[in-house]
Amino acid sequence: MATDTKDIARAVDAAAVMGVLPARPRMLALGEPTHGEDALLGLRNELFRQLVEEEGYRTIAIESDCVAGLIVDDYVTSGTGTLDQVMESGFSHGWGAFAANRELVRWMRAHNARADAEGRPASDRLRFAGFDGPLEITHAASPRQALVALHRHLTAHVEADLLPCDAQTLDRLLGDDARWTEPAAMTDPSRSVGRTAEADRLRLLADDLVALLEEQTPHLIAAASREEWDRARLYGRTATGLLRYHHRMADASPARMARLCALRDSTMAGNLLALADRGPVLVHAHNSHLQRGRSTMRMWQGPVEWWGAGALVSSRLGEEYAFVATALGTIRHRGVDAPPPDSLEGLLYALPPDRCLAGARELAAALGDLPPAPRVSPWFGYAPLDPARLADGDGVVFVKDVPQG
């Protein structure tokens, strides 16, 4: 190594994070190498709270269903519903069951209630967003909810003869939602409805509806609000994205899974860029979605590779996008024991702090011209960092031991 790693280790706090970045970013993304660990989610909450209070970030976006996330945002901004209801219906992937996610939502609502009581401007309120599509590892959602919501918004504000179809036509073409969510379609393209005549017709109609939304932008913002227009655009991105996803699910070619992974991250990127348009954003997701380099995953059909959301957003925002990865030492309850001493995680594990932060480029320089070999995880749910690609990020948060929650 060129430098002792202990010389570049910092405390994990907002000031230290900002200190390793080349500039104050409009979008600051914190990645995690595994999902569902309370210790990592708690660290996210702590760091995001500091960044809100000290650096003025006002939107928090996580790897969850963007449409369901509107339920959380309504609660956070105006108190609509109850916390229990929001945690049950406002998250995908089972994230609503995690205590740290509940605490995040509770704190965001309390922050806004306090801001309202003190008469602070609306710009000081926190916003929540999911930025993933309505997608699970087992299936993709029906496009019904997003497509019908977009059609309803346009029906309320534009002349009927401008609409490409009526609500009854959409309902007939959509049919039974169970056709769209068929779990077997994830591994068997022949079970997907994505290339039926009805699905093809819906793709054209969705495209026409999104085009109409864009064409009528001045009128729609004046007739309703910028907020409602933004929400309608989210419905449009989701509807067209889901219909495209289902179309690719019906693809039997060897590139099928790579195309699905790429489309999912493209959807994420579109949502993130829309959020960046309204102000500074904090983002939390798996490292693989947020890194600047290409993402890879080994699936049942073999390895797949694609450009992730972070790579796509970074190419658009430049230095206004920052990515801080998280690495860890052990997850003993998952069979992940102390890392090899000569791995990147092993070198960080030897440092005294239970957690620390290092600038990615500083850490890459400290490793010298011959970075250590990548760590190999015995558990599929944890992805170690690739030491050869450290400089693709801006910082690394290291957590020595992740206890069972």
Side-chain angles (χ1 to χ4, degrees), residues 8-32:
I8 59 174
R10 300 168 171 84
V12 183
D13 56 35
V17 169
M18 302 306 290
V20 303
L21 305 180
R24 185 182 185 278
R26 191 181 350 163
M27 181 170 291
L28 175 51
L30 175 66
E32 62 178 3

Side-chain angles (χ1 to χ4, degrees), residues 32 81 89 161 191 200 217 223 239 252 348 354 367 369:
E32 62 178 3
S89 58
D161 57 359
R191 300 293 294 274
D200 287 344
T217 293
L348 294 169
D354 290 334
L367 296 175
D369 296 332

Side-chain angles (χ1 to χ4, degrees), residues 47-69:
L47 196 54
F48 278 10
R49 182 168 186 165
Q50 293 175 18
L51 288 162
V52 164
E53 294 173 348
E54 299 172 21
E55 299 295 335
Y57 287 90
R58 288 296 178 264
T59 296
I60 293 177
I62 74 167
E63 185 186 335
S64 185
D65 180 345
C66 57
V67 175

